Amino acid sequence: MRARLPDESGYAERDGVKLRWESFGDGEPTVVLLPTWSIIHSRHWKAQVPYLARHHRVVTFDGRGSGGSDRPIGAEHYTPEQFVADTIAVLDATNTERAVLVGLSAGGLWGIQVAADSPERVLGAVTIGAAVPLAPAREERAEYSFEDPLPTTEGWAKYNRHYWDENFQDFLEFFFGRMFTEPHSTKQIEDCVGWGLEIEPHTLADTQRGLKACDHDSFRAACARVRCPVLVIHGDEDAIRPYSQSVELAELTGGQLVTIEGAGHGPHARDPIALNRLIKDFVDRVHPAATSTTWVRAARRPKRALYLCSPIGLGHARRDVAIAAELRKHHPDLEIDWLAQHPVTAVLEHAGERVHPASAWLANESAHIEDECAEHDLHAFQAIRRMDEILVNNFMVFHDVVEEQPYDLVLGDEAWDVDYFLHENPELKRFAFVWMTDFVGWIPMPGGGTHESDLTTDYNAEMIEQRARFQRIRDRSIFVGEPDDIVPKSFGSGLPDIREWTEQNFEFGGYITGFEPIAPADRAALRDELGYHDDERVCIVAVGGSGVGASLLRRVADAARPARRLVDGLRFVVVAGPRIDISTLPRHAGVTYRRYVPDLYRHLAACDLAVVQGGLTTCMELTANQRPFIYIPLRNHFEQNFHVRHRLERYGAGRCMSYDEASDPATLAAAIASEIGRVVDYRPVDPGGAARTAARIADLL
């Protein structure tokens, strides 16, 4: 799912070649994110577009030969002059009189040339890893011919048109591996290889030949004609284009040189927060807007906390509301703002909490998860990997909020974006920060093989390195549970045991239900209050707050008829949650549907049986209230299949069934009949988790 969709899109046509463009936002001035070498299209700007578009109008376009633009045949169609003329054509087609131009690699060449030739159209130019004909190119590339067959295919010998015809993907993997020299760049490399496979090798060969038409002397002369402000950004470990080229470019244009130590050729993708801030600060300098600000003396500021609650499921919301209530007991004057998304906002509004208006700018993580889900199948690890542009967008929203309003405390309940990017940009921390989670460690699913095992190990290693280097980022790291709840596995080859590391790096608050368990003597009164009769056997079916559970709801509904033949007075109450359209679910006798139930835990406490997904919150609510339940984990969901299942087994709670086992209505009906009303004796759930956790946080205020 894209973090932001375009407000407008269309084509600019020049000399019979169509160029696909998109426009986002409407603020002044317009920022044009230029195409680079046609090996990738404009989606490489995905981490910049949403943030910049909240402040300015942003235009992107696919360079000829890539994406949605035409692919003319012949090197003459891919010279720098063609891309420069294309830029002017897109400015005209989008009614853009003047713009700030931002270019990566070869895009820096186009931007400088447009600024030199059409100064009336350019407010400023930003280059990133500029690929310009100034200082000599890298020697290891220059020694190999592009056109002639080579006796080797090692290293830069892969940069050869004959090898592209033989093994294009291997070239792409090599090239983008050199583009991202930073450790833990698996996702950026994977993205670029995927985009590279969308262009044909013969077209890319034409673009390579066209680029050679750029002349050293004429480009130096163009630099001398540039009159607008220029920002030159380059990583000092760029393995594609020499850093010295940008040094000379800054000197020739009178531009500001920003060196990113330790960065490769794609810092806008690998270090998007830093690049976004550099670009916006530059735009604000070349096109300053009238502003007014108010600064409040520190002693006059009320105590304020910003609460970040993960929207993937509703369990975080219930426990966070409980923690907030306990925290106010310690600090009655505390003001809490919530930066949250649907469906969490439904819980917060019901609880009377204040949702920050900037929440409207958050890209919805639940919607992304729903897009990733197949029939009761969610590859949670890969889904979160593919949520990268959403996480960048949401961190930038957070960044703007805390920059505009001072907060004493930020609480992040599995706010992965904030925790990760604060560790990547530690200078941005200006508040006490509390991190909470109920699982630690990415675990590969067996079907993913060695590749997935390597990826999860790499992700875990990066987290461990971040924590070792920047302990100061988290003022409290709180595990929602006990040490025995931690899954007995390793982070991966060469990495520590998950439990050992977690015990060294976290405090343990215990599980947080957000309610007091219902005493058995009070259950009859609760059933009466909720409208459940003595002669009914009530089965609650629930799948959490996201929309990924519709297939399970259908499966249970189809088992209703055979189950009712086995159990007298059986009534199914299906709670679809706020993101599933109940009109799409099947209608059967004895089955009633409810959309959103804010106090679902009370219904679970009153039921005779529940059938649920493998989400931790619902399962632990049932465990705390000593109710029998069947849980059916999502396929390929590592958290439900490993972390949650381990915890439930420790409590001796629930009966686990696979989705395949539940495929036969008769089999599922038999399981329901055998479990309903069963007397259980689970390990008790300590109800004091919220109070303990709040006490550990309170002294930060």
Side-chain angles (χ1 to χ4, degrees):
M1 192 183 91
R2 296 177 69 168
R4 176 164 182 160
L5 295 174
D7 298 309
E8 295 182 273
S9 61
Y11 290 91
E13 186 169 350
R14 192 181 68 77
D15 294 340
V17 176
K18 290 184 177 180
L19 306 161
R20 176 70 174 175
W21 59 263
E22 294 181 334
S23 176
F24 310 79
D26 57 7
E28 290 293 335
T30 295
V31 178
V32 177
L33 302 176
L34 294 167
T36 182
W37 183 29
S38 299
I39 194 170
I40 51 177
H41 47 64
S42 59
R43 283 285 286 145
H44 77 89
W45 293 115
K46 66 179 183 176
Q48 282 66 56
V49 167
Y51 171 62
L52 295 175
R54 284 197 290 109
H55 301 279
H56 309 289
R57 179 175 177 244
V58 174
V59 171
T60 66
F61 70 100
D62 295 332
R64 51 178 56 214
S66 72
S69 294
D70 285 349
R71 290 156 165 74
I73 298 173
E76 70 274 12
H77 295 286
Y78 298 97
T79 63
E81 291 77 13
Q82 296 282 13
F83 284 93
V84 168
D86 288 349
T87 301
I88 298 298
V90 170
L91 292 178
D92 292 341
T94 58
N95 298 312
T96 304
E97 292 186 12
R98 303 184 75 194
V100 175
L101 305 182
V102 183
L104 167 73
S105 193
L109 171 60
W110 328 141
I112 293 297
Q113 195 72 54
V114 173
D117 297 345
S118 303
E120 75 283 358
R121 308 298 296 269
V122 184
L123 287 164
V126 180
T127 68
I128 304 168
V132 290
L134 293 175
R138 292 191 173 277
E139 293 180 1
E140 65 267 30
R141 295 181 62 177
E143 66 179 275
Y144 295 109
S145 169
F146 176 71
E147 298 289 353
D148 300 328
L150 298 174
T152 179
T153 59
E154 296 301 314
W156 282 105
K158 298 178 190 295
Y159 203 107
N160 175 274
R161 70 176 184 89
H162 299 282
Y163 189 66
W164 292 1
D165 289 336
E166 296 170 8
N167 198 337
F168 190 49
Q169 181 163 339
D170 183 62
F171 158 70
L172 294 174
E173 290 170 353
F174 164 78
F175 181 82
F176 290 118
R178 298 287 288 168
M179 179 170 176
F180 297 103
T181 55
E182 304 88 343
H184 312 300
S185 297
T186 59
K187 184 58 168 63
Q188 291 77 22
I189 294 170
E190 180 181 293
D191 280 346
C192 287
V193 170
W195 295 329
L197 289 170
E198 296 178 27
I199 188 172
E200 300 78 8
H202 65 84
T203 301
L204 192 63
D206 280 346
T207 70
Q208 166 63 18
R209 298 183 186 104
L211 278 171
K212 290 186 175 180
C214 188
D215 174 73
H216 175 274
D217 292 335
S218 63
F219 184 73
R220 288 179 64 91
C223 290
R225 298 197 305 274
V226 173
R227 294 292 177 264
C228 68
V230 175
L231 173 64
V232 179
I233 303 170
H234 210 114
D236 68 350
E237 294 185 3
D238 191 325
I240 301 294
R241 303 300 301 197
Y243 168 72
S244 57
Q245 290 187 337
S246 282
V247 174
E248 187 175 357
L249 177 62
E251 292 172 352
L252 292 172
T253 60
Q256 175 191 5
L257 174 65
V258 174
T259 303
I260 304 182
E261 291 191 15
H265 191 58
H268 70 305
R270 191 60 186 84
D271 291 295
I273 308 306
L275 267 290
N276 287 350
R277 295 175 67 232
L278 283 170
I279 294 169
K280 184 178 183 298
D281 288 349
F282 176 79
V283 175
D284 291 343
R285 289 200 303 274
V286 302
H287 190 277
T291 60
S292 74
T293 59
T294 300
W295 183 79
V296 180
R297 296 188 67 248
R300 292 287 301 274
R301 299 172 191 167
K303 290 180 182 177
R304 286 195 178 95
L306 183 65
Y307 217 130
L308 315 170
C309 180
S310 172
I312 303 176
L314 289 176
H316 306 90
R318 184 175 303 286
R319 74 185 181 209
D320 292 338
V321 168
I323 292 170
E326 293 291 337
L327 201 52
R328 290 184 177 109
K329 294 178 182 178
H330 294 271
H331 297 281
D333 58 341
L334 178 64
E335 297 180 3
I336 300 178
D337 292 335
W338 297 75
L339 195 60
Q341 310 165 33
H342 190 268
V344 167
T345 49
V347 176
L348 298 177
E349 288 161 4
H350 179 77
E353 296 287 347
R354 182 171 58 202
V355 177
H356 196 290
S359 299
W361 291 109
L362 296 171
N364 194 279
E365 296 172 26
S366 289
H368 167 81
I369 292 297
E370 290 156 16
D371 281 353
E372 291 277 339
C373 189
E375 183 181 347
H376 203 72
D377 191 339
L378 174 64
H379 202 302
F381 169 66
Q382 292 292 356
I384 291 174
R385 282 188 84 229
R386 288 190 285 265
M387 197 161 63
D388 53 342
E389 70 179 283
I390 292 173
L391 296 180
V392 172
N393 172 79
N394 292 352
F395 179 83
M396 297 309 303
V397 173
F398 163 80
H399 170 264
D400 284 357
V401 168
V402 297
E403 195 167 64
E404 180 180 316
Q405 170 69 66
Y407 285 95
D408 301 283
L409 174 67
V410 171
L411 301 99
D413 187 350
E414 294 188 11
W416 302 103
D417 50 346
V418 172
D419 185 65
Y420 177 82
F421 287 117
L422 282 180
H423 281 87
E424 292 289 280
N425 304 268
E427 66 278 4
L428 299 183
K429 188 199 175 204
R430 54 174 71 93
F431 38 75
F433 180 52
V434 175
W435 167 253
M436 293 184 294
T437 183
D438 53 39
F439 80 92
V440 176
W442 308 103
I443 298 176
M445 295 302 297
T450 302
H451 177 66
E452 184 169 323
S453 179
D454 290 344
L455 286 178
T456 55
T457 298
D458 184 70
Y459 270 60
N460 288 330
E462 184 176 31
M463 174 194 68
I464 291 168
E465 292 164 13
Q466 286 179 333
R467 296 298 303 136
R469 175 63 182 86
F470 294 108
Q471 285 282 339
R472 64 184 176 83
I473 294 299
R474 298 181 191 167
D475 296 276
R476 296 284 186 276
S477 295
I478 298 176
F479 183 82
V480 183
E482 305 294 343
D484 286 342
D485 294 326
I486 300 169
V487 67
K489 288 182 177 290
S490 165
F491 283 115
S493 178
L495 299 179
D497 176 80
I498 294 175
R499 175 166 178 174
E500 176 188 6
W501 185 88
T502 305
E503 287 186 297
Q504 294 170 356
N505 287 272
F506 280 78
E507 301 174 49
F508 294 85
Y511 191 74
I512 301 168
T513 60
F515 61 81
E516 290 287 337
I518 302 296
D522 298 329
R523 186 162 287 117
L526 177 61
R527 285 175 63 93
D528 185 62
E529 178 189 341
L530 297 176
Y532 300 139
H533 305 303
D534 292 341
D535 59 348
E536 290 181 325
R537 309 295 294 279
V538 178
C539 178
I540 302 289
V541 186
V543 290
S546 73
V548 302
S551 57
L552 178 59
L553 296 184
R554 294 187 183 95
R555 185 156 288 187
V556 177
D558 289 341
R561 180 177 297 173
R564 294 182 75 227
R565 286 197 293 264
L566 297 173
V567 180
D568 291 337
L570 180 57
R571 172 185 174 187
F572 286 87
V573 178
V574 177
V575 181
R579 297 185 65 83
I580 295 176
D581 182 359
I582 61 176
S583 69
T584 65
L585 299 174
R587 295 294 189 249
H588 296 290
V591 179
T592 59
Y593 290 98
R594 298 188 64 177
R595 189 165 183 268
Y596 170 58
V597 179
D599 55 352
L600 179 61
Y601 73 94
R602 302 180 75 235
H603 294 261
L604 294 174
C607 75
D608 298 290
L609 177 72
V611 180
V612 298
Q613 264 184 24
L616 180 63
T617 298
T618 305
C619 290
M620 287 301 290
E621 288 175 351
L622 289 158
T623 302
N625 278 305
Q626 299 286 314
R627 306 314 299 145
F629 64 96
I630 298 170
Y631 65 101
I632 304 174
L634 288 163
R635 293 178 291 195
N636 289 308
H637 194 304
F638 75 95
E639 184 186 359
Q640 292 187 5
N641 284 279
F642 293 114
H643 293 283
V644 176
R645 186 166 184 176
H646 167 74
R647 190 181 301 220
L648 293 177
E649 287 175 350
R650 188 177 88 82
Y651 278 86
R655 171 178 172 177
C656 184
M657 289 184 70
S658 72
Y659 190 66
D660 290 339
E661 288 178 298
S663 62
D664 176 31
T667 301
L668 181 55
I672 290 170
S674 68
E675 294 293 318
I676 196 161
R678 182 169 66 85
V679 177
V680 299
D681 185 22
Y682 306 147
R683 179 190 296 268
V685 178
D686 185 344
R692 263 193 312 277
T693 299
R696 290 191 168 107
I697 297 170
D699 63 332
L700 296 175
L701 290 162

